[in-house]
Amino acid sequence: MISADSFSSESPIWIYQSDRVFTDVECEQITKELKSFVTQWTSHGQTLKAEAHIFHKIFIVFIVESTVELPSGCSIDSSVHLVKELEKSLRVDFFNRLNICYRSDDHLYIHSLTEIKKAAKIGTITYETTMFDNSIQTFGKWLDGWEKPIGETWLKKIF
């Protein structure tokens, strides 16, 4: 878990959502690879103060402390490369931004935008349904609003 005291609110964050839930074995494998990566993650020769974690067995989240050293384009590319390697080895899709994850009755669901539109039309999801807003880019926004009602996101236009 990312401690709110460990990173400034302006620290950049990257969220990658899988198209399915990871198994426990996959979570162990991913966690091991993420820890190995962030301990060696550098920008212009400087070690980054960074963490990477799995949330809800669906999301991989990277964070870098903005007050120490910001990642360069090359260092960001190296994290994307890792995610692409995981994508390939796990046979998942982390880059389809039209897959939406939402919470209903304490369960998480991943559906395509088309399925979300259908669910909104028949009332399965509403303005109040909680979704994960993976478009946020800072730690402060992640703390304050990663999970929010669909009516407060870009998806409100589907109703």
Side-chain angles (χ1 to χ4, degrees), residues 8 20 26 33 48 53-55 61 69 71 76 98 113 119 128 130 144 151 154:
S8 66
R20 66 169 175 81
E26 289 171 331
E33 292 189 42
L48 296 171
H53 299 278
I54 300 169
F55 290 91
V61 178
E69 180 75 31
I76 294 168
L98 298 180
L113 182 57
E128 291 79 35
T130 300
D144 293 338
W154 63 273

Side-chain angles (χ1 to χ4, degrees), residues 8-13 63 135-143:
S8 66
S9 64
E10 294 305 311
S11 293
I13 196 164
I63 183 170
S135 68
I136 60 173
Q137 299 178 354
T138 64
F139 184 52
K141 291 188 190 243
W142 184 75
L143 289 172

Side-chain angles (χ1 to χ4, degrees), residues 2-14 41 43 47-51 62-71 139:
I2 302 170
S3 168
D5 297 334
S6 298
F7 294 90
S8 66
S9 64
E10 294 305 311
S11 293
I13 196 164
W14 295 268
W41 201 9
S43 178
T47 301
L48 296 171
K49 179 183 176 192
E51 291 183 16
F62 290 87
I63 183 170
V64 176
E65 175 51 58
S66 62
T67 62
V68 178
E69 180 75 31
L70 285 172
F139 184 52

Side-chain angles (χ1 to χ4, degrees), residues 3-158:
S3 168
D5 297 334
S6 298
F7 294 90
S8 66
S9 64
E10 294 305 311
S11 293
I13 196 164
W14 295 268
I15 303 166
Y16 296 93
Q17 177 185 302
S18 174
D19 61 350
R20 66 169 175 81
V21 175
F22 304 128
T23 66
D24 290 340
V25 170
E26 289 171 331
C27 285
E28 289 176 25
Q29 172 194 347
I30 295 165
T31 298
K32 186 182 295 184
E33 292 189 42
L34 292 175
K35 284 185 180 184
S36 174
F37 176 80
V38 295
T39 60
Q40 301 171 39
W41 201 9
T42 62
S43 178
H44 301 294
Q46 298 293 315
T47 301
L48 296 171
K49 179 183 176 192
E51 291 183 16
H53 299 278
I54 300 169
F55 290 91
H56 306 296
K57 294 185 172 184
I58 296 171
F59 303 96
I60 293 177
V61 178
F62 290 87
I63 183 170
V64 176
E65 175 51 58
S66 62
T67 62
V68 178
E69 180 75 31
L70 285 172
S72 64
C74 290
S75 58
I76 294 168
D77 287 349
S78 67
S79 67
V80 172
H81 180 72
L82 171 65
V83 173
K84 286 185 177 190
E85 285 179 1
L86 290 169
E87 183 178 59
K88 191 175 183 181
S89 69
L90 298 168
R91 295 188 172 127
V92 298
D93 186 348
F94 285 114
F95 293 94
N96 184 347
R97 301 295 184 216
L98 298 180
N99 284 333
I100 312 297
C101 186
Y102 67 93
R103 183 187 302 273
S104 180
D105 299 325
D106 291 326
H107 291 90
L108 298 183
Y109 300 91
I110 304 166
H111 291 299
S112 69
L113 182 57
T114 303
E115 293 169 317
I116 293 288
K117 288 178 179 179
K118 288 178 188 174
K121 191 173 189 175
I122 63 171
T124 305
I125 62 170
T126 67
Y127 263 49
E128 291 79 35
T129 302
T130 300
M131 73 163 277
F132 292 84
D133 183 1
N134 299 327
S135 68
I136 60 173
Q137 299 178 354
T138 64
F139 184 52
K141 291 188 190 243
W142 184 75
L143 289 172
D144 293 338
W146 182 36
E147 291 186 58
K148 62 176 81 169
I150 287 177
E152 295 177 16
T153 72
W154 63 273
L155 276 173
K156 66 184 172 192
K157 64 186 175 186
I158 67 171

